[in-house]
Amino acid sequence: MKIGVLFFGVLKDVVGRSGETVDLPEGARVRDVLFYYYARETPRFEAMAPSLAISVNQEYSGADRVLREGDEVGLLPPVSGGSAEDGEVSGEVPGKEPGEVRCKEPGEVCGEVRIVRERIDKESVVARLKQPADGAAVIFDGVVRDNTRGRRTLYLDYEAYEAMALKQMESLAAEARARFGVRAASIVHRLGRLEIGETSVLIVVAAAHRDAAFEACRWIINTLKKTVPIWKKEYFEDGAVWADGEAFPEEIRRP
């Protein structure tokens, strides 16, 4: 059976391609994809394998999952990471506008989730979210800085497993509303080349009370930086490197 395999970030450089189709026997499992590359690729791939997360059809998966004809397997190195100081493609869901988050009540505004390639318009995102009942609107504006570990940064380049990233971002927004009791949450992330001072990710949380809004906003950015499949390449005067990411949480990572 034919299985599509996708590579991202530094792993794409290690194997020298962004994806391919492989032939596996019926009944093969996700772990067989890893064994396939152990046998064919460089020792560097084998060294990276314990830090990889695996997705099947844009959902995180364990290594024992049985694959079916036409499945899409993503081999995902640790995502962009970083601290909480650090043309549009948007999710299509039947019955709602692109980027809009489905709410419980008809006509309710509870946020938007988007991946874009143009400058993020912070004022417009905030204006679309705020409602008269809100007592607080907390904004996290992730900005490209001019240095990394003592090296002067020229610019950044972001890439993503876009369809999966949008699903994960929508899940984060929904979980934040439920977990912290906030009314609404918007997440907008930019891809492509970003210059110094530009916004890479914008998170806006609206709630009746500030404490819940602050907590939800911090939780969203910290979780996004560990679990959403977006990778960052940093360009310096003497070369470029993929940003080191934190290991995936244990419930996601399946060595």
Side-chain angles (χ1 to χ4, degrees):
M1 63 180 176
K2 295 189 180 300
I3 302 296
V5 183
L6 301 178
F7 311 102
F8 298 93
V10 66
L11 186 59
K12 180 173 64 176
D13 292 348
V14 168
V15 301
R17 53 199 176 278
S18 59
E20 64 182 346
T21 300
V22 300
D23 284 308
L24 295 175
E26 292 292 333
R29 299 174 184 268
V30 168
R31 68 174 66 256
D32 295 312
V33 175
L34 290 174
F35 293 152
Y36 179 88
Y37 289 103
Y38 281 158
R40 297 184 56 210
E41 301 298 339
T42 65
R44 192 176 172 198
F45 176 88
E46 186 172 356
M48 288 185 63
S51 68
L52 299 180
I54 304 166
S55 68
V56 177
N57 301 332
Q58 303 164 16
E59 299 287 345
Y60 286 114
S61 172
D64 287 328
R65 176 168 171 168
V66 176
L67 296 172
R68 297 194 180 354
E69 174 75 26
D71 279 349
E72 180 181 270
V73 175
L75 300 183
L76 314 176
V79 292
S80 63
S83 67
E85 290 80 30
D86 276 347
E88 181 177 317
V89 178
S90 56
E92 297 285 348
V93 176
K96 69 174 188 176
E97 293 299 316
E100 179 186 79
V101 175
R102 189 183 299 279
C103 304
K104 292 181 180 179
E105 299 297 331
E108 183 184 2
V109 178
C110 58
E112 61 187 276
V113 173
R114 299 181 187 273
I115 289 177
V116 302
R117 286 179 171 79
E118 70 273 7
R119 285 175 179 258
I120 296 173
D121 185 345
K122 178 174 64 177
E123 288 73 21
S124 295
V125 175
V126 174
R128 285 193 293 270
L129 193 70
K130 288 169 63 177
Q131 296 286 294
D134 296 328
V138 172
I139 301 166
F140 174 81
D141 186 356
V143 179
V144 178
R145 60 177 179 265
D146 65 0
N147 67 92
T148 301
R149 294 179 293 278
R151 302 172 73 187
R152 188 166 81 86
T153 303
L154 302 180
Y155 62 93
L156 302 181
D157 200 332
Y158 282 87
E159 74 166 38
Y161 188 178
E162 294 186 38
M164 183 175 176
L166 282 165
K167 287 182 179 180
Q168 292 294 317
M169 289 160 61
E170 287 191 344
S171 178
L172 285 181
E175 186 172 347
R177 294 196 306 272
R179 178 183 291 216
F180 299 98
V182 298
R183 184 189 62 78
S186 290
I187 309 172
V188 184
H189 207 299
R190 187 172 167 189
L191 299 183
R193 175 168 169 158
L194 276 74
E195 305 297 336
I196 304 304
E198 292 188 322
T199 295
S200 60
V201 57
L202 180 71
I203 297 168
V204 186
V205 176
H209 305 289
R210 64 182 182 274
D211 286 349
F214 274 116
E215 290 173 7
C217 193
R218 179 180 292 276
W219 178 84
I220 290 173
I221 185 58
N222 288 347
T223 308
L224 182 152
K225 286 291 187 177
K226 295 178 181 178
T227 65
V228 176
I230 296 174
W231 296 271
K232 176 174 66 178
K233 198 167 193 177
E234 300 172 306
Y235 286 80
F236 306 101
E237 293 173 311
D238 56 350
V241 297
W242 290 99
D244 292 332
E246 297 181 51
F248 284 96
E250 187 61 33
E251 63 269 21
I252 290 176
R253 185 167 53 89
R254 302 291 194 274

